Amino acid sequence: MAEEAELDLLVDRAVPAADGVVELTLRAADGADLPAWKPGAHVDLELRPDLVRQYSLCGDPADRTRWRLGVLREPDGRGGSAFVHDELAEGTKVRARGPRNHFALADAPRHLFIAGGIGITPILPMLAAADAAGGDWRLVYGGRTRTSMAFLAELTDRYAERVEVRPQDETGPLDLDGLLGGLEPGTLVYCCGPEPLLTAVEERAPAGQLHVERFAPRSVGEPVRADGFEVELARSGLTLTVLPDRSILHTVEDAGISVLSSCQEGTCGTCETGVLGGRPDHRDSLLTAEERAAGDTMFICVSRCWSPRLVLDL
């Protein structure tokens, strides 16, 4: 896969965006332009050498001087969001890698955007792009309360009647049956938010019309194969045995082959690897059904193998 930019950033601004949400604005420490990106992209922030997290870019892709992120404090999280809220003040330096995009906005006659809570962040630049193109679109934005919903005033001021605000304490749960039951052909649905929302939308949206982005891995059950298998590294000339209790990623790294990786749970996309032979057992939270069926790429931090051998572009 293509090399990604690694750069030092400075926190230009850190302000509250909602209850429990901080809005970060980052710029290059050397003042240079930041890498280009498109709606749906995210970046890795290396908060400490042992603490790397992914956050969606939610600013203006045309502004190469700054990146904007929105980060929810997760009280039961693994420490990343707490570090962002407590340690990243104005002037703080932070290492970043990316951008990366597995949630790109595709052209369509109509778009329906569904956001839950902090899931609004990757969708914000999508709305701007759809609106600038004169597209037919609407956003349904749900949250616990109005005060917990980030960027709410920005959305309602800019887009008015195209945005439906649905705080759960005022309007109850989102009416997904009503939203998705009579979806017009050609409408693409983009959804980001907590896992219960994503699962419910996946159960209702027509096949081929839905794009989702997860912040946490989905449940995928047990691997197809309980035993080990072989991986042939086509460019390195190595054939390795992947044991049942080891990932492909760790097996490859143990053999001295360097592979970029980050989340190690199948959500960030950093370790995407081309498949030249064999059938992957996809266990990530990124690929669509069509991409899984094609079988020409996989995320080796979590995915495994149906066949006795895989041939990888490594």
Side-chain angles (χ1 to χ4, degrees), residues 12-218:
D12 195 54
R13 189 166 177 260
V15 296
D19 291 346
V21 179
V22 65
E23 175 188 346
L24 291 180
T25 305
L26 307 172
R27 58 182 173 83
D30 60 4
D33 279 354
L34 296 169
W37 61 281
K38 293 182 179 180
H42 67 266
V43 294
D44 295 346
L45 293 188
E46 184 180 296
L47 307 171
R48 293 193 311 258
D50 62 338
L51 191 63
V52 180
R53 295 292 183 267
Q54 294 73 43
Y55 299 108
S56 298
L57 294 170
C58 62
D60 179 3
D63 184 357
R64 299 285 298 277
T65 66
R66 289 172 177 80
W67 283 344
R68 182 173 74 157
L69 315 174
V71 181
L72 172 68
R73 181 189 285 272
E74 298 277 5
D76 300 320
R78 296 173 298 158
S81 67
F83 188 99
V84 170
H85 278 251
D86 297 338
E87 304 295 336
L88 294 191
E90 183 177 334
T92 305
K93 183 179 286 189
V94 61
R95 186 79 169 160
R97 183 169 66 203
R100 190 178 310 117
N101 199 337
H102 293 280
F103 193 46
L105 181 64
D107 292 334
R110 288 164 298 280
H111 290 92
L112 170 62
F113 300 100
I114 303 173
I118 199 61
I120 191 62
T121 51
I123 289 176
L124 276 170
M126 293 185 178
L127 305 183
D131 203 58
D136 180 0
W137 65 270
R138 63 189 287 218
L139 165 67
V140 179
Y141 182 15
R144 291 178 289 103
T145 64
R146 285 182 184 270
T147 59
S148 72
M149 298 168 72
F151 308 109
L152 191 56
E154 175 182 327
L155 285 164
T156 54
D157 289 348
R158 185 171 182 181
Y159 303 117
E161 71 279 357
R162 290 203 178 200
V163 176
E164 298 178 28
V165 179
R166 296 287 181 264
Q168 190 165 355
D169 64 337
E170 298 178 23
T171 62
L174 296 181
D175 179 14
L176 297 178
D177 290 327
L179 283 172
L180 300 169
L183 204 63
E184 293 183 73
T187 303
L188 290 186
V189 180
Y190 280 78
C191 181
C192 187
E195 184 60 32
L197 172 65
L198 300 181
T199 300
V201 169
E202 286 176 327
E203 290 171 351
R204 293 165 172 80
Q209 291 181 245
L210 176 63
H211 299 261
V212 302
E213 180 159 74
R214 285 178 157 82
F215 295 136
R218 63 182 170 186

Side-chain angles (χ1 to χ4, degrees), residues 284-308:
D284 62 273
S285 301
L286 291 160
L287 294 177
T288 65
E290 293 80 7
E291 291 166 335
R292 290 167 184 263
D296 57 2
T297 191
M298 68 187 297
F299 299 98
I300 61 173
C301 64
V302 291
S303 295
R304 299 190 69 79
C305 186
W306 281 73
S307 50

